[in-house]
Amino acid sequence: MQGGCVLDWGLVVLKSLKYKGNALHVLDQRLLPHRVEWLCCTDATCVAKLIRDMAVRGAPAIGVAAAYGYLLAVRSALSQGRGLTVDTLDAAYRELAAARPTAVNLVWALDRMVACLQAARSLPQADRLARLEVEARGIESRDVEANLAMSQRGAALIETGAERGWVLTHCNTGALATAGQGTALGVIRDAWASGRLAGVYVDETRPWLQGSRLTAWELEQESIPYRLICDGAAASVLASGRVSWVVVGADRIAANGDTANKIGTYSLAVLARHHGVKFMVVAPRATIDRDCADGGAIEIEQRPAAEVRAIGDQLLAPADASVYNPAFDVTPAGLIDALVTEAGVLRQPDREGIARLFG
Ligand code: MRU
């Protein structure tokens, strides 16, 4: 891999990214939960590839990775004697931005880096580099803080009572998917810590199995009780009356509250409404794209057929089976009971409520 190296630190720390020694170290999420290996990138091309190939995933985490990828491009330009301008870095910007199209956090983070470079244009090159490193680290710590605020706000929505309920979650929205303790999984952690939960139903989340490989693993580290279910079992679990909330993250939220998240989220929202179960979306404001009028304008990433036909080397279908593999779907705002952000909670999110979050 260009600009990369493989490390095995042999240590499980729930942190999926570390920038140190002028390199971005990425916990390879494709190998979890059975192998803990770190990859490291020293250039933007390497970071873009790790995002595209899902070594790092989850909207906030890929935003943070992209910011550091841009910083690495700045470093390379400086060491090659190229000028540090938005134009000389445009190729790196475009390569990183194209790595995954649905999660808006990626472009949000890159645009902050570009704005920072522009604001520093009158400074000496070395100072511009220093400013950009501060900006990238700031994007990371802002996510940590947003996670904490969202976790508390979201947990407070989950009723306390003599009979503690279960929640159901989809995909992975925890420490692996963010720079901090997570979005939806952060809410679940805080709800568990404050005695509001009996446990968590975890959708396995085909085809990448982020639920079974990553969320179940994170919940085990925290000793939070969970039951792993096949995605198709969600309907009967919600019909059972045991679940009070479905709690999920988001990859891009349109200006009217329509929400793109991992494929299968929309089905859960329909099921939740049918069974009178409440539906919570947890995401930082960096995931809200106010330039996107509604869900119809959100680009949905299409992934390779091989991801559905096989798991690893094990074929599950005819070798050339025709496949449709959208990575995300859009849940209409009308099916969302609460949108939890670091700036506040919107009950029944709509265009006016979303605008208020930025007021
Ligand atoms: O394809 P992935 O694994 O990057 O998809 C991740 C999700 O859909 C998450 O729910 C979303 O990014 C929110 S993560 C805090």
Side-chain angles (χ1 to χ4, degrees):
M1 178 178 30
Q2 193 183 357
C5 52
V6 178
L7 298 176
D8 185 355
W9 293 354
L11 185 67
V12 180
V13 180
L14 278 193
K15 190 87 187 150
S16 60
L17 295 166
K18 292 174 192 170
Y19 185 79
K20 61 177 198 179
N22 299 331
L24 180 65
H25 300 266
V26 171
L27 177 58
D28 190 345
Q29 299 191 33
R30 297 165 299 187
L31 306 179
L32 292 174
H34 301 299
R35 270 168 63 199
V36 178
E37 264 181 33
W38 289 79
L39 306 167
C40 92
C41 286
T42 53
D43 65 38
T45 297
C46 170
V47 176
K49 181 167 166 42
L50 294 191
I51 293 173
R52 203 168 42 246
D53 294 350
M54 307 273 290
V56 52
R57 34 74 41 211
I62 62 180
V64 173
Y68 284 122
Y70 193 80
L71 178 64
L72 292 173
V74 170
R75 282 203 157 276
S76 308
L78 198 57
S79 68
Q80 291 159 11
R82 288 189 278 127
L84 290 192
T85 67
V86 172
D87 285 347
T88 57
L89 292 158
D90 187 52
Y93 177 101
R94 280 187 286 109
E95 186 177 26
L96 288 161
R100 293 197 70 193
T102 303
V104 73
N105 307 60
L106 197 163
V107 170
W108 174 86
L110 288 172
D111 286 346
R112 285 187 70 102
M113 295 297 279
V114 168
C116 176
L117 181 57
Q118 259 164 343
R121 63 184 173 276
S122 59
L123 300 179
Q125 307 241 68
D127 293 352
R128 274 183 245 176
L129 176 66
R131 285 277 175 96
L132 284 160
E133 180 163 346
V134 169
E135 184 66 21
R137 291 196 187 277
I139 288 170
E140 180 176 0
S141 50
R142 178 185 159 136
D143 191 52
V144 175
E145 284 159 23
N147 283 190
L148 289 172
M150 289 184 288
S151 300
Q152 287 170 6
R153 289 179 192 280
L157 298 179
I158 297 173
E159 300 75 10
T160 46
E163 199 163 320
R164 292 175 302 159
W166 287 69
V167 295
L168 185 148
T169 194
H170 192 62
C171 196
N172 171 264
T173 58
L176 294 167
T178 63
Q181 68 163 1
T183 58
L185 208 55
V187 166
I188 289 169
R189 278 195 172 93
D190 274 22
W192 168 254
S194 55
R196 293 161 195 267
L197 278 193
V200 189
Y201 285 98
V202 178
D203 271 359
E204 64 176 351
T205 318
R206 281 276 293 146
W208 267 88
L209 303 172
Q210 290 95 330
S212 50
R213 293 187 306 104
L214 309 177
T215 300
W217 187 67
E218 284 202 41
L219 290 170
E220 284 198 5
Q221 319 273 318
E222 305 273 331
S223 304
I224 299 175
Y226 69 88
R227 283 187 195 153
L228 183 61
I229 57 171
C230 304
D231 298 345
S236 58
V237 169
L238 294 186
S240 73
R242 285 193 291 273
V243 171
S244 58
W245 284 90
V246 173
V247 189
V248 297
D251 282 79
R252 189 182 296 237
I253 300 173
N256 70 342
D258 291 350
T259 294
N261 190 50
K262 179 53 54 195
I263 190 75
T265 303
Y266 177 29
S267 346
L268 288 175
V270 173
L271 287 170
R273 184 57 57 91
H274 181 76
H275 292 294
V277 173
K278 280 166 288 180
F279 192 86
M280 186 192 306
V281 173
V282 188
R285 282 179 300 176
T287 306
I288 299 176
D289 182 357
R290 296 174 75 202
D291 294 333
C292 230
D294 57 35
I298 299 177
E299 182 183 350
I300 299 295
E301 176 184 4
Q302 301 293 322
R303 302 275 315 171
E307 294 178 355
V308 176
R309 288 188 194 129
I311 294 183
D313 295 334
Q314 181 65 54
L315 258 183
L316 305 172
D320 55 358
S322 169
V323 167
Y324 172 56
N325 186 19
F328 303 98
D329 56 24
V330 176
T331 299
L335 293 177
I336 299 170
D337 294 292
L339 168 60
V340 177
T341 75
E342 75 279 29
V345 174
L346 295 180
R347 300 279 194 161
Q348 280 82 46
D350 58 10
R351 200 175 295 281
E352 291 69 36
I354 300 260
R356 273 201 308 280
L357 288 175
F358 293 88

Short mmCIF file of all heavy atoms in Angstrom, two decimals, residues 54 56-60 62 100 103 170-174 177-178 182-184 208 210 214 248-251 260-263 265 282 284 301 303 327-328, ligand 1:
data_model
loop_
_atom_site.label_atom_id
_atom_site.label_comp_id
_atom_site.label_asym_id
_atom_site.label_seq_id
_atom_site.Cartn_x
_atom_site.Cartn_y
_atom_site.Cartn_z
N MET A 54 -13.12 0.53 3.62
CA MET A 54 -13.82 0.26 4.89
C MET A 54 -12.90 -0.18 6.03
O MET A 54 -13.37 -0.75 7.02
CB MET A 54 -14.92 -0.80 4.70
CG MET A 54 -15.90 -0.52 3.61
SD MET A 54 -17.29 0.49 4.08
CE MET A 54 -18.22 -0.59 5.13
N VAL A 56 -11.47 2.04 7.82
CA VAL A 56 -12.07 3.00 8.75
C VAL A 56 -13.44 3.33 8.17
O VAL A 56 -13.58 3.52 6.97
CB VAL A 56 -11.18 4.25 8.93
CG1 VAL A 56 -10.78 4.89 7.62
CG2 VAL A 56 -11.88 5.30 9.80
N ARG A 57 -14.46 3.33 9.05
CA ARG A 57 -15.83 3.56 8.58
C ARG A 57 -16.63 4.18 9.71
O ARG A 57 -16.15 4.30 10.83
CB ARG A 57 -16.49 2.29 7.99
CG ARG A 57 -16.16 0.97 8.58
CD ARG A 57 -16.73 0.62 9.92
NE ARG A 57 -18.10 1.02 10.10
CZ ARG A 57 -18.63 1.37 11.24
NH1 ARG A 57 -17.90 1.33 12.36
NH2 ARG A 57 -19.89 1.74 11.34
N GLY A 58 -17.87 4.59 9.35
CA GLY A 58 -18.66 5.37 10.30
C GLY A 58 -18.46 6.84 9.95
O GLY A 58 -17.31 7.30 9.82
N ALA A 59 -19.57 7.57 9.78
CA ALA A 59 -19.48 8.92 9.22
C ALA A 59 -18.52 9.85 9.99
O ALA A 59 -17.64 10.47 9.37
CB ALA A 59 -20.89 9.52 9.14
N PRO A 60 -18.64 9.97 11.32
CA PRO A 60 -17.72 10.89 12.00
C PRO A 60 -16.26 10.45 11.89
O PRO A 60 -15.36 11.28 11.70
CB PRO A 60 -18.20 10.87 13.45
CG PRO A 60 -19.65 10.44 13.36
CD PRO A 60 -19.67 9.44 12.24
N ILE A 62 -14.80 8.80 9.47
CA ILE A 62 -14.18 9.06 8.16
C ILE A 62 -13.98 10.57 7.95
O ILE A 62 -13.07 10.98 7.24
CB ILE A 62 -14.91 8.38 6.98
CG1 ILE A 62 -16.33 8.84 6.80
CG2 ILE A 62 -14.86 6.88 7.10
CD1 ILE A 62 -17.02 8.14 5.62
N ARG A 100 -15.97 8.10 -0.20
CA ARG A 100 -17.31 7.57 0.06
C ARG A 100 -18.30 8.74 -0.07
O ARG A 100 -18.13 9.77 0.59
CB ARG A 100 -17.39 6.93 1.47
CG ARG A 100 -16.52 5.67 1.56
CD ARG A 100 -16.86 4.80 2.73
NE ARG A 100 -18.14 4.15 2.60
CZ ARG A 100 -18.76 3.54 3.61
NH1 ARG A 100 -18.22 3.53 4.81
NH2 ARG A 100 -19.92 2.95 3.41
N ALA A 103 -21.69 9.81 3.36
CA ALA A 103 -21.42 10.44 4.67
C ALA A 103 -20.91 11.87 4.46
O ALA A 103 -19.79 12.08 4.00
CB ALA A 103 -20.40 9.62 5.45
N HIS A 170 -28.75 -0.67 15.06
CA HIS A 170 -28.39 -1.18 13.74
C HIS A 170 -26.99 -0.67 13.41
O HIS A 170 -26.61 0.44 13.79
CB HIS A 170 -29.40 -0.63 12.73
CG HIS A 170 -29.36 -1.26 11.38
ND1 HIS A 170 -29.62 -2.59 11.15
CD2 HIS A 170 -29.10 -0.73 10.15
CE1 HIS A 170 -29.54 -2.86 9.85
NE2 HIS A 170 -29.22 -1.75 9.23
N CYS A 171 -26.22 -1.46 12.70
CA CYS A 171 -24.87 -1.08 12.25
C CYS A 171 -23.97 -0.85 13.46
O CYS A 171 -24.21 -1.40 14.55
CB CYS A 171 -24.94 0.16 11.36
SG CYS A 171 -23.42 0.44 10.39
N ASN A 172 -22.90 -0.07 13.31
CA ASN A 172 -22.03 0.27 14.43
C ASN A 172 -21.87 1.77 14.50
O ASN A 172 -21.48 2.41 13.51
CB ASN A 172 -20.65 -0.37 14.31
CG ASN A 172 -19.70 0.17 15.38
OD1 ASN A 172 -18.94 1.10 15.13
ND2 ASN A 172 -19.78 -0.36 16.58
N THR A 173 -22.19 2.33 15.65
CA THR A 173 -22.18 3.78 15.84
C THR A 173 -21.39 4.13 17.09
O THR A 173 -21.64 5.16 17.71
CB THR A 173 -23.62 4.28 16.00
OG1 THR A 173 -24.21 3.59 17.12
CG2 THR A 173 -24.47 4.02 14.76
N GLY A 174 -20.45 3.29 17.47
CA GLY A 174 -19.75 3.46 18.73
C GLY A 174 -18.40 4.12 18.58
O GLY A 174 -18.16 4.92 17.67
N ALA A 177 -16.75 4.05 15.24
CA ALA A 177 -17.32 4.83 14.14
C ALA A 177 -17.12 6.33 14.32
O ALA A 177 -17.54 7.12 13.46
CB ALA A 177 -18.81 4.53 14.03
N THR A 178 -16.53 6.72 15.44
CA THR A 178 -16.40 8.14 15.79
C THR A 178 -15.02 8.37 16.39
O THR A 178 -14.23 7.43 16.53
CB THR A 178 -17.45 8.54 16.85
OG1 THR A 178 -17.19 7.78 18.04
CG2 THR A 178 -18.88 8.26 16.38
N GLY A 182 -19.16 7.51 20.72
CA GLY A 182 -20.16 7.08 19.76
C GLY A 182 -21.38 7.98 19.77
O GLY A 182 -21.55 8.84 20.64
N THR A 183 -22.24 7.74 18.77
CA THR A 183 -23.50 8.50 18.66
C THR A 183 -24.62 7.66 19.28
O THR A 183 -24.87 7.74 20.47
CB THR A 183 -23.78 8.87 17.18
OG1 THR A 183 -23.84 7.67 16.39
CG2 THR A 183 -22.69 9.79 16.64
N ALA A 184 -25.27 6.82 18.47
CA ALA A 184 -26.35 5.98 19.02
C ALA A 184 -25.80 5.05 20.10
O ALA A 184 -26.43 4.86 21.16
CB ALA A 184 -27.00 5.17 17.89
N TRP A 208 -21.97 -6.03 5.62
CA TRP A 208 -20.65 -5.88 6.23
C TRP A 208 -20.61 -6.37 7.67
O TRP A 208 -19.55 -6.41 8.29
CB TRP A 208 -20.17 -4.42 6.13
CG TRP A 208 -19.34 -4.19 4.90
CD1 TRP A 208 -19.80 -3.85 3.67
CD2 TRP A 208 -17.93 -4.32 4.78
NE1 TRP A 208 -18.76 -3.74 2.78
CE2 TRP A 208 -17.59 -4.03 3.44
CE3 TRP A 208 -16.90 -4.65 5.66
CZ2 TRP A 208 -16.28 -4.05 2.96
CZ3 TRP A 208 -15.59 -4.67 5.20
CH2 TRP A 208 -15.29 -4.38 3.85
N GLN A 210 -21.49 -4.99 10.49
CA GLN A 210 -20.96 -4.05 11.49
C GLN A 210 -21.60 -4.32 12.86
O GLN A 210 -20.98 -4.05 13.89
CB GLN A 210 -21.27 -2.60 11.07
CG GLN A 210 -20.48 -2.09 9.89
CD GLN A 210 -21.25 -2.27 8.59
OE1 GLN A 210 -22.05 -3.18 8.45
NE2 GLN A 210 -20.99 -1.41 7.62
N LEU A 214 -18.71 -5.56 15.12
CA LEU A 214 -18.18 -4.37 15.80
C LEU A 214 -19.02 -3.96 17.02
O LEU A 214 -18.48 -3.73 18.09
CB LEU A 214 -18.10 -3.20 14.79
CG LEU A 214 -17.36 -3.53 13.48
CD1 LEU A 214 -17.40 -2.33 12.53
CD2 LEU A 214 -15.90 -3.92 13.76
N VAL A 248 -30.46 4.75 16.34
CA VAL A 248 -29.52 4.59 15.21
C VAL A 248 -28.74 5.88 15.00
O VAL A 248 -29.09 6.94 15.52
CB VAL A 248 -30.27 4.23 13.90
CG1 VAL A 248 -30.99 2.90 14.02
CG2 VAL A 248 -31.23 5.35 13.50
N GLY A 249 -27.69 5.79 14.17
CA GLY A 249 -26.89 6.97 13.79
C GLY A 249 -27.35 7.48 12.43
O GLY A 249 -28.45 7.17 11.95
N ALA A 250 -26.49 8.28 11.79
CA ALA A 250 -26.83 8.84 10.48
C ALA A 250 -25.57 9.14 9.70
O ALA A 250 -24.51 9.40 10.28
CB ALA A 250 -27.64 10.12 10.65
N ASP A 251 -25.70 9.09 8.39
CA ASP A 251 -24.59 9.46 7.50
C ASP A 251 -24.80 10.81 6.84
O ASP A 251 -23.84 11.50 6.50
CB ASP A 251 -24.37 8.39 6.44
CG ASP A 251 -23.64 7.22 7.04
OD1 ASP A 251 -24.28 6.41 7.72
OD2 ASP A 251 -22.40 7.16 6.88
N ALA A 260 -30.29 9.66 5.88
CA ALA A 260 -29.63 8.51 5.26
C ALA A 260 -28.79 7.80 6.31
O ALA A 260 -28.02 8.43 7.03
CB ALA A 260 -28.73 8.97 4.11
N ASN A 261 -28.98 6.50 6.43
CA ASN A 261 -28.16 5.70 7.34
C ASN A 261 -28.04 4.30 6.74
O ASN A 261 -28.62 4.00 5.68
CB ASN A 261 -28.78 5.67 8.74
CG ASN A 261 -27.84 5.05 9.77
OD1 ASN A 261 -26.68 5.43 9.85
ND2 ASN A 261 -28.30 4.08 10.53
N LYS A 262 -27.31 3.45 7.41
CA LYS A 262 -27.01 2.10 6.91
C LYS A 262 -28.25 1.41 6.36
O LYS A 262 -29.32 1.46 6.98
CB LYS A 262 -26.38 1.30 8.06
CG LYS A 262 -26.02 -0.13 7.77
CD LYS A 262 -25.15 -0.30 6.55
CE LYS A 262 -23.89 0.52 6.56
NZ LYS A 262 -23.25 0.62 5.22
N ILE A 263 -28.10 0.73 5.25
CA ILE A 263 -29.20 0.02 4.61
C ILE A 263 -29.91 -0.88 5.66
O ILE A 263 -29.26 -1.61 6.40
CB ILE A 263 -28.69 -0.80 3.39
CG1 ILE A 263 -29.82 -1.34 2.57
CG2 ILE A 263 -27.72 -1.91 3.79
CD1 ILE A 263 -30.50 -0.31 1.73
N THR A 265 -32.07 0.64 7.83
CA THR A 265 -32.58 1.58 8.85
C THR A 265 -34.02 1.97 8.54
O THR A 265 -34.87 2.04 9.44
CB THR A 265 -31.69 2.84 8.88
OG1 THR A 265 -30.34 2.45 9.14
CG2 THR A 265 -32.15 3.82 9.94
N VAL A 282 -29.36 9.69 16.23
CA VAL A 282 -28.36 10.43 17.02
C VAL A 282 -27.22 10.80 16.09
O VAL A 282 -26.56 9.92 15.51
CB VAL A 282 -27.83 9.56 18.18
CG1 VAL A 282 -26.95 10.39 19.10
CG2 VAL A 282 -28.97 8.91 18.96
N PRO A 284 -24.19 14.25 15.12
CA PRO A 284 -23.74 15.63 15.34
C PRO A 284 -24.22 16.53 14.21
O PRO A 284 -24.58 16.05 13.13
CB PRO A 284 -22.21 15.50 15.33
CG PRO A 284 -21.94 14.30 14.48
CD PRO A 284 -23.10 13.36 14.70
N GLU A 301 -24.51 5.59 -1.82
CA GLU A 301 -23.35 4.83 -2.29
C GLU A 301 -23.76 3.42 -2.70
O GLU A 301 -24.47 2.74 -1.96
CB GLU A 301 -22.33 4.75 -1.13
CG GLU A 301 -21.10 3.92 -1.43
CD GLU A 301 -20.18 3.81 -0.21
OE1 GLU A 301 -20.53 4.31 0.88
OE2 GLU A 301 -19.10 3.21 -0.36
N ARG A 303 -22.27 -0.28 -3.51
CA ARG A 303 -21.05 -1.02 -3.20
C ARG A 303 -20.94 -2.24 -4.12
O ARG A 303 -21.92 -2.67 -4.73
CB ARG A 303 -21.08 -1.48 -1.73
CG ARG A 303 -21.21 -0.39 -0.69
CD ARG A 303 -19.95 0.28 -0.26
NE ARG A 303 -18.84 -0.60 0.01
CZ ARG A 303 -17.59 -0.15 0.23
NH1 ARG A 303 -17.33 1.15 0.20
NH2 ARG A 303 -16.61 -0.99 0.47
N ALA A 327 -25.49 0.93 -0.03
CA ALA A 327 -24.94 0.89 1.33
C ALA A 327 -25.85 1.59 2.34
O ALA A 327 -25.73 1.36 3.54
CB ALA A 327 -23.56 1.54 1.34
N PHE A 328 -26.74 2.45 1.85
CA PHE A 328 -27.58 3.25 2.76
C PHE A 328 -29.00 3.33 2.24
O PHE A 328 -29.24 3.07 1.06
CB PHE A 328 -27.00 4.69 2.88
CG PHE A 328 -25.57 4.69 3.35
CD1 PHE A 328 -24.51 4.81 2.45
CD2 PHE A 328 -25.26 4.55 4.69
CE1 PHE A 328 -23.19 4.76 2.88
CE2 PHE A 328 -23.94 4.50 5.14
CZ PHE A 328 -22.90 4.61 4.23
O1 MRU B 1 -20.83 1.79 5.87
P1 MRU B 1 -20.53 2.27 7.25
O2 MRU B 1 -20.13 1.20 8.19
O3 MRU B 1 -19.56 3.44 7.24
O4 MRU B 1 -21.92 2.85 7.78
C1 MRU B 1 -21.97 3.43 9.05
C2 MRU B 1 -23.35 3.85 9.42
O5 MRU B 1 -24.29 3.72 8.67
C3 MRU B 1 -23.50 4.51 10.76
O6 MRU B 1 -24.78 4.28 11.27
C4 MRU B 1 -23.29 6.03 10.60
O7 MRU B 1 -22.13 6.31 9.88
C5 MRU B 1 -23.23 6.70 11.90
S1 MRU B 1 -21.77 6.26 12.79
C6 MRU B 1 -21.71 7.18 14.20
#
